[in-house]
Amino acid sequence: MLNSNSNSSAVENSNVAKSSPLTSQRIPIKQIDSQTSGKIHIRQQKGYFQRIRTGMNSLLVALFFLLPFISYQGRQAILFNISEQQFIFFGTTLWPQDFTILAWVFIAAAFLLFFATVFWGRVWCGYLCPQTAWTFMFVWVEERIEGSSNKRSALDKAPMSLQKASKRISKHLAWGAIALLTGCGFIAYFIPARELYLDILTFDASFWIATWVWFFAICTYLNAGWMREQMCLHCCPYARFQSVMFDANTKTVTYDAARGESRGPRKRKQQTDLGDCVDCNLCVDVCPTGIDIRNGLQYECINCGACVDACNQTMEKFGYKPDLISYASENELVDKAVPFYESYKFLGYGIAALIMLTVIGFDISNRSAIELNVIRDRQTLYRETLTDAIENSFTLKIRNKTQQARHYQIYVSGNSSYQLAGKSRVLIEAGEQLDYPVTVSANLNALDKSRSEITFVVAEQHSHSQVTQNSSFFSPI
């Protein structure tokens, strides 16, 4: 948001800059109290960084909608199946007991975000954040229907008319359609996508599915259509703590006050004693959070680079050097730039991210595709037969954690005196848990104590994958 005293603040900063060359290059971190009333109408800006942002946002939005439609081995490739308590990811199924892997993934993602923040500041917010992507998408729709930022501002002030009403209705209908598709896109990660879209469009969806789709649709409509910058300014926690990850080598969107001040308007090729800033205010007009970057680094800045492209466009028209506003670090502004690998924060977060990625790899490599739980018969410890054999009954809960039917071999390892009665080869369907009762017998003469330890082994046929679990064998000795 703009401060009503932004120009006077900039002049004061300029006076300080003249008195001390070193302090003029430091990046002041300020909290500018918002004095601007009304809605921010973002001016459309084109340029190098906006092409990157638009390309990345478009790619991420496309992936968001298309990934649920990808099939792998006859099933939806990515699916959080809550009803069956499993997460399917390209043929790999994670069950609740495997969710430590997801926890490691989230922790690693956090450290990677911190790692990127130390070097590039809030690059996530400007180029990868869904809030930014959907906000710019809604602004694009708004501009196509209501016109440029000046026309939208004038339309806000104009009295209600048939033309204004038609534009507003068209805009909100378009926003609603995008929001509904977004709600469907999100829920498609939890409900099979092809069934979901068909049920929603034909009004055949169940009450709870429809409720969740409309819940996320309404959230999208409010966040991207109405709240927009308020989410970045007041709701996002990352905006509040990201400054603790900055250091003197962090590249952020920065205004070169020593070169730009004292600012002021002028004609092209006009000789002047003013700085390079022509005070065109374009850097404010294109900012999605409405701040003036010339007031110094502010937590509201999302590093989207719109003001960089706008300023470079102006510098080119006036024949000045580019990058009056640029991605620069505090050390770069005072010609003390150091290699990024000498930053302790950069190294610390990088090492932490590598450790987390190593833990994920180790956890996945040691994950078994079979789950076994052995439950003893609690009614009878043992049974004696007419042939002097002792029998113990167990129930084996065997889960096939893959997405294909598998044949498994069951046997008891250890002392050869223990024999497994009945079938030892079973077929378990994909993702199914089989409760399989078994009986283990042993000759009484071969036993030397009343309680012995035995090991059940369930091995997948034609594979080295197997799982074991210990249990106890009781006898009357």
Side-chain angles (χ1 to χ4, degrees), residues 180-200:
L180 181 59
L181 285 175
T182 303
C184 291
F186 186 83
I187 299 301
Y189 287 89
F190 300 87
I191 304 294
R194 291 174 175 83
E195 300 174 12
L196 172 68
Y197 281 91
L198 182 62
D199 289 345
I200 290 295

Side-chain angles (χ1 to χ4, degrees), residues 303-353:
N303 264 27
C304 66
C307 58
V308 178
D309 287 329
C311 188
N312 282 341
Q313 187 180 77
T314 300
M315 293 297 101
E316 182 180 1
K317 290 180 180 179
F318 279 82
Y320 297 155
K321 292 191 304 181
D323 294 336
L324 176 61
I325 300 175
S326 64
Y327 285 95
S329 68
E330 183 178 336
N331 281 336
E332 284 177 338
L333 290 179
V334 293
D335 295 326
K336 292 184 179 179
V338 296
F340 62 86
Y341 51 79
E342 293 184 11
S343 168
Y344 292 116
K345 287 185 178 181
F346 188 85
L347 293 175
Y349 287 129
I351 292 171

